[in-house]
Amino acid sequence: MEYSRFCYCASLIISISGLVFPVMVGSLGINYGQIANNLPTPDNVVPLVKSIGATKVKLYDADPRVLKAFANTGVEFIVGLGNEYLSKMRDQEAAQAWVKTNVQAYLPATKITCITIGNEVLTFNDTSLTDHLLPAMQNIHTALVNLGLDKQVLVTTAHSLAILQVSYPPSAGSFRKDLVGCITPILNFHCKTNSPFLINAYPFFAYKSNPKQISLDFVLFQPNQGIVDSKSNFHYDNMLFAQIDAVHSALASLGYSKLQVHISETGWPSKGDADEVGASLENAKKYNGNLLKTIYQKKGTPMRPNTDLNIYVFALFNENMKPGPTSERNYGLFKPDGTAAYSLGISGTDAVSANTTTTTIGALAPPSPDSSSPGYLSISAAVKERYCCCISQLLFPLLLVNYLAFRLAF
């Protein structure tokens, strides 16, 4: 009974908060990785995604639990086909079976709009994997055509920024010469199917490798003098935009200037090893907070000022089982217990538009008492009581103002 009151109060404040802090619905996406053993159940993830104003989610697989949990929520999904499955997708029947099982089965309730075939395949320097990429993309697309789904579900693949030979200045952006031969047919595929070119861009990596030469303010979207591209004369006040436009230049150099570019991953770690310069909670807060403000302002890059940014922030959760340096396990906006890893420093007044939704940046949803996830921390009666008390204190002045306004009107 007590927990029911707790959930009611929590859901009420999340609903009402949209009236107090309207947030613009932009092109904000979030990467939902699950390399962890302590994450909340997908049902409990739904309100967390909505709390940051995200309208799109990118998976690295096609987890049926997640796709079922987000049914009828209106959230758009990119599902992923892992690198390990690429060779199998050269068989058209296997590709058809995969699409039926992992995509068609969840439509239209779950809004799957895209499939990524592999991740950063071209920079693995694995020839056999590279050889499987385009055939897998083509066969998955053919399967969608056969099922009448190709107009609503696109096929693409995500690349590392390391596919670029030159990234500075942005106007000189170009692809690695050894990759042009395999990238060009993929670009042709994008043109034919009208699918976007995805790039994973991390200013953090650039700063970590050269902190003495690169301004921290420049990579964190903080006030700075920026740089001017001497060829284009465009001014850049942050590195991410410079990286994105370097990709635009690389595409243009091969004759594909009209291709859409989406940022499939970008983020900043809140913790790192001693040699991971810049990996800190404060920098993560600045990078992601300023990034979200930029997205909400619908600012385009200098080369594409009138094109909305399509960005997927990495990542929703800290993932405790990811291999590699400490930073790899600390990119999350949320901890596994559903609490914010840090405040993004954004209020709804920073991102108000005529097009609004009832979500609020930073709102948190409580775990379900019957959650089967071992990751959720138990919430004591005392914590529940304090939570409801705080909500009541927030609601009372709002209700009082509404009551007075009503009385004055009549």
Side-chain angles (χ1 to χ4, degrees):
M1 183 66 180
E2 183 181 23
Y3 194 87
S4 297
R5 290 197 299 270
F6 167 68
C7 287
Y8 173 75
C9 290
S11 62
L12 185 61
I13 189 63
I14 288 175
S15 297
I16 290 180
S17 65
L19 302 177
V20 184
F21 302 119
V23 175
M24 182 177 72
V25 179
S27 300
L28 175 62
I30 188 77
N31 282 278
Y32 181 2
Q34 299 184 77
I35 306 178
N37 61 6
N38 59 355
L39 298 184
T41 60
D43 285 339
N44 288 312
V45 173
V46 176
L48 295 182
V49 168
K50 291 187 174 183
S51 76
I52 57 172
T55 57
K56 301 177 183 179
V57 171
K58 178 170 163 282
L59 298 178
Y60 293 88
D61 53 21
D63 188 334
R65 300 173 308 142
V66 175
L67 296 176
K68 289 176 183 176
F70 278 84
N72 303 310
T73 61
V75 175
E76 294 185 15
F77 266 83
I78 294 179
V79 296
L81 178 74
N83 293 352
E84 66 272 24
Y85 297 109
L86 296 189
S87 61
K88 295 179 182 178
M89 294 304 110
R90 296 194 72 140
D91 177 0
Q92 186 60 59
E93 289 186 3
Q96 191 90 3
W98 189 92
V99 172
K100 283 184 177 180
T101 301
N102 297 286
V103 178
Q104 187 182 42
Y106 301 100
L107 295 171
T110 303
K111 198 174 181 181
I112 300 172
T113 60
C114 186
I115 305 168
T116 54
I117 310 301
N119 187 51
E120 301 188 345
V121 172
L122 300 185
T123 46
F124 268 96
N125 297 318
D126 183 332
T127 305
S128 62
L129 199 60
T130 298
D131 290 342
H132 295 316
L133 179 57
L134 182 57
M137 294 172 70
Q138 292 170 330
N139 283 351
I140 291 292
H141 175 70
T142 299
L144 290 168
V145 172
N146 293 340
L147 296 169
L149 300 174
D150 56 302
K151 302 304 181 188
Q152 64 187 98
V153 182
L154 300 175
V155 175
T156 186
T157 186
H159 303 282
S160 162
L161 198 67
I163 61 172
L164 296 186
Q165 180 82 41
V166 176
S167 61
Y168 182 84
S171 60
S174 62
F175 292 112
R176 279 171 41 184
K177 292 180 180 179
D178 62 311
L179 295 180
V180 170
C182 52
I183 287 178
T184 302
I186 292 174
L187 300 181
N188 282 329
F189 173 86
H190 287 311
C191 284
K192 290 177 181 178
T193 61
N194 198 32
S195 55
F197 184 82
L198 303 189
I199 196 82
N200 298 337
Y202 288 90
F204 166 69
F205 293 139
Y207 177 76
K208 183 181 74 168
S209 65
N210 197 5
K212 292 183 179 180
Q213 298 296 321
I214 298 175
S215 162
L216 182 60
D217 287 338
F218 182 63
V219 296
L220 295 179
F221 298 88
Q222 293 288 95
N224 67 93
Q225 65 181 20
I227 62 167
V228 175
D229 186 318
S230 58
K231 181 179 178 182
S232 66
N233 208 34
F234 287 135
H235 178 264
Y236 291 87
D237 60 10
N238 69 82
M239 179 174 281
L240 181 64
F241 279 15
Q243 291 178 336
I244 295 172
D245 277 353
V247 174
H248 282 134
S249 294
L251 291 170
S253 71
L254 296 181
Y256 297 92
S257 59
K258 294 183 179 180
L259 269 188
Q260 304 172 65
V261 175
H262 293 184
I263 307 306
S264 41
E265 290 182 19
T266 191
W268 197 282
S270 58
K271 186 178 180 181
D273 293 323
D275 62 347
E276 294 189 282
V277 182
S280 70
L281 190 147
E282 188 60 29
N283 287 342
K285 176 180 176 180
K286 288 178 180 177
Y287 183 83
N288 285 319
N290 289 332
L291 173 64
L292 264 62
K293 287 179 183 178
T294 301
I295 293 171
Y296 292 142
Q297 292 166 1
K298 289 197 170 185
K299 288 179 62 177
T301 67
M303 279 189 191
R304 299 288 187 277
N306 299 316
T307 301
D308 285 350
L309 298 171
N310 284 278
I311 292 178
Y312 288 79
V313 176
F314 188 87
L316 189 58
F317 293 108
N318 286 335
E319 299 171 71
N320 69 340
M321 295 181 70
K322 289 196 72 174
T326 297
S327 61
E328 287 294 323
R329 295 174 289 282
N330 290 278
Y331 274 91
L333 300 184
F334 291 100
K335 299 175 184 177
D337 64 359
T339 59
Y342 46 84
S343 168
L344 289 173
I346 299 179
S347 67
T349 54
D350 291 322
V352 177
S353 168
N355 183 18
T356 60
T357 183
T358 53
T359 57
T360 175
I361 301 297
L364 297 176
S368 166
D370 59 354
S371 169
S372 59
S373 170
Y376 258 129
L377 301 180
S378 61
I379 299 180
S380 67
V383 173
K384 296 175 199 171
E385 184 177 351
R386 287 198 299 272
Y387 192 91
C388 284
C389 178
C390 290
I391 291 174
S392 298
Q393 291 174 4
L394 284 169
L395 287 177
F396 179 76
L398 296 177
L399 295 174
L400 180 60
V401 169
N402 286 337
Y403 172 76
L404 293 174
F406 176 83
R407 291 298 301 271
L408 287 172
F410 295 92

